[in-house]
Amino acid sequence: MTDTLRSRTEALRDLLERQFQAHTGQLTELTVYSREADHGGYDPDTLRALMETARQGIADTATALRRMSEGSYGRCEGCGGEIPVARLEILPSARYCVPCQQRQRR
């Protein structure tokens, strides 16, 4: 692995770890709100949706970190090709390249 690739991978790992912490913190905060009489000022449906989004964020980042430790991070789960680094920098938990992601939505 080249130094440039290694530094990009480390930067992406750091970003994923920060995202994981942020999602975990958000879910903790929202869980506390869900137990309050006024739901922390949130509509109950909105609060549930935000909690589900945080849970999904935790799952996505945990999966990306696992793939990173296994050595499969950056490989498309659809076609097996490399996911461009620019895509991973925008969406570090990406599991698919853009063409395969578009096919997933159909």
Side-chain angles (χ1 to χ4, degrees):
M1 185 182 292
T2 66
D3 287 340
T4 303
L5 184 56
R6 184 175 291 117
S7 65
R8 281 186 173 171
T9 301
E10 286 304 313
L12 288 167
R13 182 187 315 276
D14 290 345
L15 179 57
L16 284 165
E17 288 172 352
R18 284 193 311 272
Q19 285 182 345
F20 185 85
Q21 291 171 350
H23 290 305
T24 302
Q26 181 183 32
L27 182 59
T28 300
E29 182 178 330
L30 293 169
T31 300
V32 170
Y33 291 156
S34 72
R35 294 180 180 140
E36 295 176 356
D38 72 345
H39 301 288
Y42 288 98
D43 170 83
D45 292 332
T46 301
L47 187 59
R48 277 191 291 278
L50 289 171
M51 289 173 73
E52 181 52 37
T53 299
R55 282 188 195 99
Q56 188 62 54
I58 291 168
D60 291 346
T61 53
T63 299
L65 288 165
R66 179 183 48 77
R67 288 194 326 264
M68 196 173 270
S69 69
E70 293 172 346
S72 61
Y73 181 77
R75 289 262 169 224
C76 176
E77 291 182 11
C79 67
E82 285 191 34
I83 299 172
V85 173
R87 176 165 170 74
L88 293 171
E89 288 172 341
I90 294 167
L91 185 63
S93 60
R95 296 171 38 209
Y96 301 98
C97 64
V98 172
C100 288
Q101 182 68 53
Q102 290 172 337
R103 282 192 285 276
Q104 291 291 317
R105 292 185 182 152
R106 292 182 186 160

